[in-house]
Amino acid sequence: MKVAIFAGGFGTRLSEETAIRPKPMVEVGGRPIIWHIMKIYAHYGFRDFVVLGGYKVECLRDYFLNYRGRASDYTINLKTGDIDWVRSANEDWNVTVLDTGIETMTGGRLKKARFLLSDGPFCLTYGDGVSDVDIPALVEAHLASDYWCTLTAVTQPGRYGALRLDEGLSCVQGFREKGPADGGLINGGFFVCDPMVFEMIDHYQTVWEEEPMKRMVANGKLGYFHHEGYWQSMDSLRDKMVLEEAWADEAPWKVWKD
């Protein structure tokens, strides 16, 4: 199953970092946050990634094109260009970096990747959030349902939009934008989607969290997977500091072993 990652936004609330790189390339513990996200999925055997780039997509392209050289020890003969890999990075990942356009909205970014993702269910997440969510359990829950999309519902106070859930049916009954102090459960990303979601996206300026989700709610086709563990996004410099402190301590999202 492929994993699509939103990685093309401007990240304006983290402008101290995103003036020179896209938000998924902002580092936590010396590694881009998108690397942490991919390590989470790869730990569970999901190693085929589609990175939905846009703003400063060249940074993403350069990072993955030069990944082995950046992450490995080597000896190079500068005359011949021959390389002896002393200790080579061994990430067994397939990575597609797709330029979906600078001004494209999230739904549009996904729509532009339809030709890569339409052959069956796929995972989808944001390029700025980490969690210890049980990905296989999430996928299993989705595949056992008739929902077109299953999102991960997480607990986060304050500035995020609240979900109205039906605990008996495990489906989302309502979805609204951010309130000043909502509390409760929110959309933490980490979606599993069927190709039917592409029919919910009208054009390249469609916001994934707007009409597509509202249409799925109206049709009773947006499910949720309740995750009670760790989740943290990186929307601001403060969030980055929270993640840096967590990485230096126990890094709750670090489900993989070195």
Side-chain angles (χ1 to χ4, degrees):
M1 184 179 290
K2 292 182 180 179
V3 180
I5 304 176
F6 287 124
F10 290 99
T12 54
R13 285 179 288 184
L14 199 63
S15 59
E16 301 91 340
E17 294 274 356
T18 55
I20 58 173
R21 72 193 86 184
K23 194 200 293 189
M25 287 300 297
V26 175
E27 293 184 352
V28 173
R31 297 274 197 165
I33 193 168
I34 194 172
W35 175 87
H36 293 263
I37 295 165
M38 294 166 84
K39 289 288 282 188
I40 294 167
Y41 278 99
H43 170 74
Y44 293 112
F46 299 86
R47 300 186 176 94
D48 197 347
F49 299 97
V50 180
V51 179
L52 308 177
Y55 173 67
K56 295 191 179 294
V57 67
E58 65 276 7
C59 294
L60 292 158
R61 286 174 168 167
D62 289 347
Y63 178 73
F64 290 110
L65 279 174
N66 298 293
Y67 184 87
R68 189 179 186 187
R70 291 172 182 268
S72 305
D73 297 332
Y74 58 85
T75 301
I76 183 170
N77 184 304
L78 296 181
K79 181 177 180 180
T80 64
D82 292 338
I83 298 175
D84 178 19
W85 298 100
V86 178
R87 185 176 59 185
S88 181
N90 58 355
E91 306 291 4
D92 184 18
W93 301 348
N94 291 316
V95 183
T96 301
V97 179
L98 189 66
D99 184 359
T100 61
I102 294 177
E103 302 293 341
T104 309
M105 296 292 102
T106 46
R109 296 191 193 285
L110 186 58
K111 186 180 180 70
K112 288 191 175 185
R114 182 173 188 168
F115 73 103
L116 294 170
L117 301 169
S118 60
D119 57 349
F122 61 92
C123 293
L124 172 68
T125 195
Y126 300 107
D128 63 355
V130 290
S131 176
D132 61 354
V133 60
D134 187 336
I135 302 293
L138 164 63
V139 171
E140 183 180 357
H142 176 77
L143 295 179
S145 74
D146 64 350
Y147 298 128
W148 296 337
C149 176
T150 300
L151 59 79
T152 299
V154 299
T155 302
Q156 177 76 15
R159 64 187 185 279
Y160 297 93
L163 298 169
R164 182 162 55 87
L165 308 177
D166 185 321
E167 294 288 350
L169 298 175
S170 77
C171 66
V172 179
Q173 297 291 300
F175 184 90
R176 65 184 175 81
E177 280 302 293
K178 303 170 185 177
D182 287 316
L185 295 175
I186 63 159
N187 167 27
F190 292 93
F191 306 92
V192 184
C193 304
D194 285 350
M196 185 63 188
V197 300
F198 293 111
E199 304 303 323
M200 303 294 105
I201 304 170
D202 291 332
H203 46 70
Y204 295 146
Q205 293 304 305
T206 298
V207 176
W208 167 246
E209 300 80 7
E210 292 288 343
E211 286 306 315
M213 281 196 181
K214 291 176 181 177
R215 288 172 178 170
M216 286 186 281
V217 168
N219 284 280
K221 293 296 185 178
L222 180 61
Y224 74 91
F225 178 82
H226 187 187
H227 173 60
E228 297 180 341
Y230 183 87
W231 177 87
Q232 178 65 51
S233 68
M234 187 175 64
D235 278 340
S236 66
L237 190 58
R238 176 189 174 279
D239 293 334
K240 175 176 161 40
M241 292 172 63
V242 167
L243 289 167
E244 289 283 10
E245 291 173 2
W247 180 257
D249 185 14
E250 58 180 11
W253 68 89
K254 188 177 181 292
V255 294
W256 65 92
K257 297 185 183 299
D258 294 324

